[in-house]
Amino acid sequence: MYTALYRLDTHDIQHDLAHLYEHLVLHRFLRISEEHGFHPALIGWLVGDTFAECIYLDVGFYDPDVLSLFNKHIEHIASEPDFNADELKMNLGLISAEDRALLTPVSYLKLNDGLRQIKQRKWTDGTGKNMDKTAAETILRTHPQPDKYRDITILLRVDQPKDYEKKVLQKLFIILSDIMQVSIQLVYPAYARQYSGIMDWVDNQCMYIYTIFTVPKKLAKNKDYADIIARAISEISLSKYFPQIKRQFEVYAKESWLVANAVEYYRNFNTVTTTKEVAELATKETVKAILDRVTIDIKATTAADRKAIKQ
């Protein structure tokens, strides 16, 4: 993996504005990676945390070229175009879904001016002096509206997996989880709230994962989300993206901190394997055969769904 940490001082910026900027920076990079031939769901992880005084970005990529792209994005963001109306709408919507509260600007003129000012600031490699929070101009306002949002459970399952497919699913389900989240969030403001581990029904005759999303009630139907995920999985199964998938399996086999996953897999599914064997079994033909059989189920989230994740 090719990893990096970034920190930006925002001690004198409204917290909601800093949080929005964090989302905008990461969301734009998904599009940048796509423009350079990478599938945005397969590049690695992009994690942001906004605190009262600063923003942290924690990234990890499977390809050094993607890290180079991200460094360029961060270093030259001040000269990039302003965030456009679609970017603002999507990321205001994502934070609104996260908080179940409508986040609106006092004015878009002030919002754009505030974002331009933050863009001029330089990210560090995680170093910097911690500054006390100071009063900041209010540019965004929050209006709690929990009744405008709903939680849905999106479940991806594979029926009747063969023994060697069960082993490949140890990693492939993680990839599918990323595909599910990224594909939806490039189209709709859906906040991924909770993730399940890999689960099974009836002695591994069906294996599945699910994620609980918070979404606006009236924006889209369950079928709309399912169609987006289905198209993304179909696209991922194309040969041109297999090198990115294979690279993930290669890293899975080599990273020492992942070796113990085999123990948990045995504990949960009584399946003996290693991360190295998982990578070796993940041929183009096997991965495609599994992806072609993924079933998508979407329903209103239940208390049982939440309880299963917490166990």
Side-chain angles (χ1 to χ4, degrees), residues 3-286:
T3 62
L5 183 69
Y6 307 85
R7 184 181 186 275
L8 186 70
D9 174 29
T10 57
H11 77 281
D12 55 346
I13 302 293
Q14 182 191 9
H15 179 269
D16 285 336
L17 182 62
H19 189 194
L20 175 61
Y21 183 66
E22 169 217 314
H23 276 259
L24 287 164
V25 169
L26 297 181
H27 195 267
R28 175 172 281 186
F29 185 70
L30 294 177
R31 293 298 189 189
I32 291 173
S33 67
E34 193 172 31
E35 290 168 2
H36 284 79
F38 297 96
H39 195 290
L42 300 174
I43 57 176
W45 71 76
L46 295 158
V47 179
D49 277 302
T50 300
F51 297 90
E53 308 82 11
C54 64
I55 302 170
Y56 276 99
L57 302 180
D58 167 25
V59 302
F61 302 116
Y62 293 95
D63 190 308
D65 290 342
V66 180
L67 180 57
S68 296
L69 275 177
F70 191 81
N71 281 330
K72 183 178 179 181
H73 172 50
I74 288 296
E75 291 170 9
H76 301 289
I77 195 166
S79 60
E80 289 183 3
D82 287 347
F83 298 108
N84 62 41
D86 288 340
E87 289 176 298
L88 293 176
K89 181 180 179 181
M90 174 61 74
N91 289 282
L92 284 169
L94 278 169
I95 296 173
S96 296
E98 179 179 353
D99 297 336
R100 294 190 176 95
L102 186 63
L103 188 66
T104 59
V106 172
S107 80
Y108 277 93
L109 179 62
K110 285 191 174 184
L111 175 58
N112 286 316
D113 285 345
L115 290 170
R116 287 189 198 106
Q117 290 177 30
I118 304 177
K119 283 174 67 178
Q120 299 301 318
R121 301 190 176 195
K122 296 294 184 183
W123 293 85
T124 73
D125 58 357
T127 59
K129 183 179 179 181
N130 198 33
M131 306 287 286
D132 291 334
K133 189 70 177 178
T134 61
E137 181 181 8
T138 298
I139 293 178
L140 292 167
R141 291 195 174 125
T142 302
H143 313 275
Q145 293 185 332
D147 59 321
K148 300 293 186 182
Y149 297 90
R150 64 189 178 107
D151 285 356
I152 57 174
T153 297
I154 303 182
L155 183 147
L156 305 183
R157 77 171 195 268
V158 176
D159 294 329
Q160 301 294 326
K162 300 178 177 65
D163 287 342
Y164 67 88
E165 290 178 329
K166 294 174 187 175
K167 296 178 180 181
V168 173
L169 282 167
Q170 181 183 137
K171 171 60 180 173
L172 190 56
F173 264 137
I174 299 172
I175 296 173
L176 282 166
S177 178
D178 290 340
I179 293 169
M180 171 168 50
Q181 180 175 341
V182 172
S183 64
I184 290 176
Q185 290 182 344
L186 286 174
V187 180
Y188 292 118
Y191 178 68
R193 193 164 294 281
Q194 290 178 286
Y195 306 86
S196 77
I198 302 172
M199 300 184 176
D200 73 314
W201 286 318
V202 195
D203 297 327
N204 298 355
Q205 292 308 301
C206 168
M207 302 185 73
Y208 66 97
I209 56 167
Y210 65 86
T211 300
I212 297 174
F213 286 87
T214 298
V215 299
K217 278 186 177 178
K218 297 183 179 180
L219 185 61
K221 298 178 180 179
N222 289 354
K223 184 179 183 302
D224 297 323
Y225 297 112
D227 288 346
I228 289 170
I229 298 168
R231 284 195 298 270
I233 293 174
S234 178
E235 182 181 57
I236 289 288
S237 70
L238 298 176
S239 295
K240 72 174 183 177
Y241 291 118
F242 184 72
Q244 277 187 265
I245 294 174
K246 191 61 179 178
R247 175 60 182 158
Q248 288 208 27
F249 278 97
E250 290 169 353
V251 170
Y252 192 68
K254 293 177 182 178
E255 293 285 347
S256 59
W257 57 280
L258 294 171
V259 170
N261 282 6
V263 180
E264 285 304 306
Y265 212 63
Y266 178 75
R267 188 193 317 279
N268 294 329
F269 305 108
N270 199 34
T271 298
V272 179
T273 189
T274 65
T275 54
K276 181 179 179 181
E277 184 189 26
V278 167
E280 290 171 347
L281 290 171
T283 64
K284 183 188 297 186
E285 294 74 21
T286 296

